[in-house]
Amino acid sequence: MTGRVAIVTGAARGIGAAIAGRLAAAGHSVAVIDRREADTATTVESLHRSGARAIGIGADVADAGEVAAAVQRVEAELGAPVILVNNAGILRDNLIFRMTDDDWDAVMAVHLRGTFLMSRAVQSHQVAARWGRIVNLSSTSALGNRGQANYAAAKAGIQGFTKTLAIELGRYNVTVNAIAPGFIATDMLRETAARIGMEFDDYMAAAAREIPVGRTGTPDDIAAAAAFFVSEEASFVSGQVLYVAGGPKA
């Protein structure tokens, strides 16, 4: 399965960059989308060094106009996108009595609205091709997590969105699945550690002690799951949420 065009949002670093690398290694052309185009340079250069076709695009996934323009540019420069990984995300953690309207709205906009807008823009190309893959990034926080009412609600919403799209798009040979990462060593968790006043290494070590496999995850762990969902072998897997968390989750 080569020659397909993929979009990965939030791919300037961390999980998104790892997923972009795995898709490129599988022979796909990759559009790396992040808030600022300049931030995509490192990921794009790495993909180019591996021999992949890749471009970087700056876009706010919560802005319908910017999403439409980004997808149009992907089509013009790489071809019609039929693989979409919705990974873009932000944190605005706080307890409910301290959480502001902006904290709530910003997280909902990037995670939930962004996933909707990107999926809506790309599905037309998938339907036309009668083939497609959408992989949405949820989180174990969808099950509830102190200080993350906004994030948990958005990630739970993504799971419902995923299952609904799987029903709507399945007839067009488009699968839609979600990955729910647990503790993954990324800059986003560095922000969480800082918020609660812990050193990052101490925070991750404490988390590892509570994980059955005895370690925290890496971006490559999530990229491996995404690679499976995108593969031809996963064509009968749709509407699923895979918890990549080192142990069982509800």
Side-chain angles (χ1 to χ4, degrees):
M1 185 174 66
T2 59
R4 305 205 191 270
V5 177
I7 293 174
V8 184
T9 68
R13 57 183 182 173
I15 290 172
I19 292 172
R22 283 296 295 262
L23 296 184
H28 304 300
S29 301
V30 182
V32 176
I33 294 182
D34 217 286
R35 185 67 183 266
R36 298 187 305 170
E37 186 167 330
D39 293 339
T40 69
T42 299
T43 302
V44 171
E45 288 168 7
S46 176
L47 298 180
H48 284 165
R49 286 195 301 270
S50 72
R53 296 175 68 228
I55 59 172
I57 298 174
D60 178 358
V61 296
D63 184 294
E66 292 190 26
V67 165
V71 173
Q72 288 170 5
R73 183 176 163 192
V74 173
E75 182 182 18
E77 297 188 27
L78 294 178
V82 291
I83 297 170
L84 171 64
V85 180
N86 285 305
N87 170 72
I90 62 171
L91 290 177
R92 294 291 186 272
D93 293 351
N94 228 323
L95 296 174
I96 187 66
F97 69 94
R98 294 193 185 113
M99 188 170 287
T100 67
D101 293 355
D102 287 344
D103 290 338
W104 179 271
D105 292 343
V107 169
M108 287 295 173
V110 174
H111 291 274
L112 204 48
R113 178 179 168 85
T115 296
F116 159 66
L117 290 176
M118 288 298 307
S119 299
R120 187 178 65 180
V122 170
Q123 61 81 34
S124 60
H125 296 290
Q126 297 172 324
V127 169
R130 292 299 191 270
W131 191 96
R133 298 285 188 266
I134 297 176
V135 181
N136 298 321
L137 269 292
S138 180
S139 169
T140 56
S141 291
L143 302 174
N145 197 33
R146 178 180 171 86
Q148 290 193 315
N150 49 4
Y151 187 76
K155 291 305 193 182
I158 284 173
Q159 294 189 15
F161 180 74
T162 295
K163 292 176 181 293
T164 299
L165 281 199
I167 294 168
E168 292 185 5
L169 298 178
R171 69 186 62 188
Y172 304 107
N173 197 27
V174 177
T175 67
V176 188
N177 292 286
I179 301 169
F183 277 85
I184 309 297
T186 64
D187 289 341
M188 184 174 282
L189 280 189
R190 288 184 184 276
E191 296 174 19
T192 301
R195 175 177 60 84
I196 64 176
M198 289 184 69
E199 292 294 328
F200 181 64
D201 289 345
D202 293 338
Y203 181 60
M204 298 303 282
R209 289 193 290 271
E210 302 299 322
I211 297 172
V213 300
R215 71 170 177 89
T216 55
T218 70
D220 286 339
D221 292 319
I222 309 307
F228 167 69
F229 279 140
V230 167
S231 71
E232 208 63 69
E233 290 80 1
S235 63
F236 199 56
V237 180
S238 194
Q240 302 305 303
V241 180
L242 177 61
Y243 283 86
V244 183
K249 296 290 179 180

